[in-house]
Amino acid sequence: MVSSNGYRVLQWTGVSGGLPPNETTFAKILKDKGYATGLIGKWHLGLNCESSDDYCHHPLSHGFDHFYGMPFSMMGDCEPWEMSEKRAGLERKLNVCSHVMALAAFTLAVGKLTRLVAGSWTLVICSAIVALVFFTTSYFVGALIVHADCFLMRNHCITEQPMCLQRTTALMLKEVSSFVQRNKQGPFLLFVSFLHVHTPLITTENFRGRSPHGLYGDNIEEMDWMVGQILDTLDTEGLTNSTLVYFTSDHGGSLEAQFGNNQYGGWNGIYKGGKGMGGWEGGIRVPGILRWPGVLPAGRVIHEPTSLMDVFPTVVQLGGGQVPHDRVIDGRDLLPLLLGTAQHSGHEFLMHYCESFLHAARWHQWNTPDTESSFHQVMERITKAVEDHRRTLSPVPLQLDMPNNIWKPWLQPCCGRFPLCWCDREADP
């Protein structure tokens, strides 16, 4: 999903953009092969198209049998927090609007009293009312964002709006255990998308203050513990040797998540850059840890370049499905590399984008050129590869442009009567 106006992600749950229904996910393919498919955690790929309950972009419309989690991304605005993705900017804009309208009302009132302005007092009163509305909205905008975007769903049902962040970790783990127990007799695909390691770094009391690396370190330690709990569930149910587990991240540390002297986005070591910084190593190098006892050799380290796009063909082919032939698939099956039957990655080149802009191209064969002629040869080869790659691209409908990425009240998921969106079904017996 790309945009022409700089948006990188969906801005609200109540927008019409999202993963188009005609996309083929690995969940769709494996579901057709008899797999039980579940997604637990966050889903930042849209919900609705035309009404608040058409669920055209919902995980259940993309091949998942079961969904539990947050149909958006964790945000700094989900609790009182010094960093903000939306609240601070909206407050500033609303305050400016309220001041402008108040000034307009005052100017009109003075004009009326001094008889410099003709007409009725209606325009003065309306301007004052609009100024009051803007001012009141700016005061409550933080709470409105929390109710609009920070909630939990089970399938199509909202279970908690807004979400109680201190119990979300326990609820997620309970849901993972329940899904595994329900589906352990047959093949299953479970995608756990953690809310952790993202501002506002929600960390339960048991883990706060445990790490020498501050709140970010505490949050990492809790996520590590959660991974251990999930692996323990597989062990308890006797599924360890028959289950491939793949742990990874969608990007490197978010160096932009900094406020004052506090760094809330992690650290990328020797690698330059971070999340949202184009093709710098710090933004695109992510962990890739796999476990499949009896199939994958333990302790093996692979230094070949791979991509998260490789997850799609790897999972599809392991599940007995077929990779679609009606489109170009940029991923490569990882299994030969993991098993050691292939020595090199299937990627000769990897292209790194930000929105629709190509920021970097990695050539597998590249070494530091020691002469000017070698440098030009490398550049010519990469240029040719980029040209070949671009010929495989085709236009798609924009999902992140303003028409699809502006909040629409009729698309807002609401537990209760809008705008009083509130419920706590997690507390029901």
Side-chain angles (χ1 to χ4, degrees), residues 210-274:
R210 286 181 48 164
S211 168
H213 301 291
L215 184 58
Y216 187 87
D218 296 342
N219 203 245
I220 286 281
E221 289 204 11
E222 181 163 57
M223 184 182 68
D224 178 70
W225 171 79
M226 293 176 72
V227 172
Q229 294 295 298
I230 294 171
L231 296 181
D232 287 347
T233 297
L234 296 176
D235 293 342
T236 300
E237 301 300 334
L239 299 171
T240 297
N241 292 342
S242 59
T243 305
L244 170 64
V245 178
Y246 184 19
F247 176 86
T248 188
S249 177
D250 52 348
H251 53 74
S254 178
L255 303 188
E256 305 93 322
Q258 186 174 10
F259 190 86
N261 294 324
N262 295 319
Q263 172 57 256
Y264 296 115
W267 180 64
N268 292 320
I270 64 173
Y271 301 112
K272 183 176 181 179

Side-chain angles (χ1 to χ4, degrees), residues 10 12-15 39 41-48 55 57-59 67-74 148-155 157-161 163 172 195 412-413:
L10 299 172
W12 305 86
T13 56
V15 299
L39 169 60
K42 63 181 177 182
W43 169 267
H44 198 184
L45 293 173
L47 278 180
N48 302 303
Y55 306 118
H57 301 306
H58 192 280
F67 169 66
Y68 179 80
M70 187 178 184
F72 199 59
S73 178
M74 180 60 75
D149 291 333
C150 306
F151 59 89
L152 293 176
M153 295 184 77
R154 177 176 285 105
N155 297 326
C157 178
I158 297 176
T159 62
E160 193 176 69
Q161 190 175 20
M163 57 203 291
M172 295 287 184
L195 303 181
Q412 176 61 49

Side-chain angles (χ1 to χ4, degrees), residues 31 57 66 71 84-86 105 160 170 182 198 220 226 247-248 252-253 263 265-266 281 290 313 316 330 362 387 428:
K31 182 177 180 179
H57 301 306
H66 181 76
S84 166
E85 280 90 0
K86 292 190 296 191
E160 193 176 69
R182 290 196 312 271
H198 193 292
I220 286 281
M226 293 176 72
F247 176 86
T248 188
Q263 172 57 256
E281 292 285 285
L290 298 99
V316 166
D330 293 306
R362 177 193 292 271
E387 292 172 352
D428 294 343

Side-chain angles (χ1 to χ4, degrees), residues 23 34 60 107 113 144 149 226 317 320 369 373:
E23 286 294 336
L60 268 61
T107 303
L113 292 172
L144 293 174
D149 291 333
M226 293 176 72
Q317 294 186 67
S373 61

Side-chain angles (χ1 to χ4, degrees), residues 27-37 65 183 186-189 319:
K28 282 183 180 178
I29 296 175
L30 264 62
K31 182 177 180 179
D32 290 341
K33 289 296 179 179
Y35 276 68
T37 54
D65 297 317
N183 297 288
F188 66 83
L189 166 74

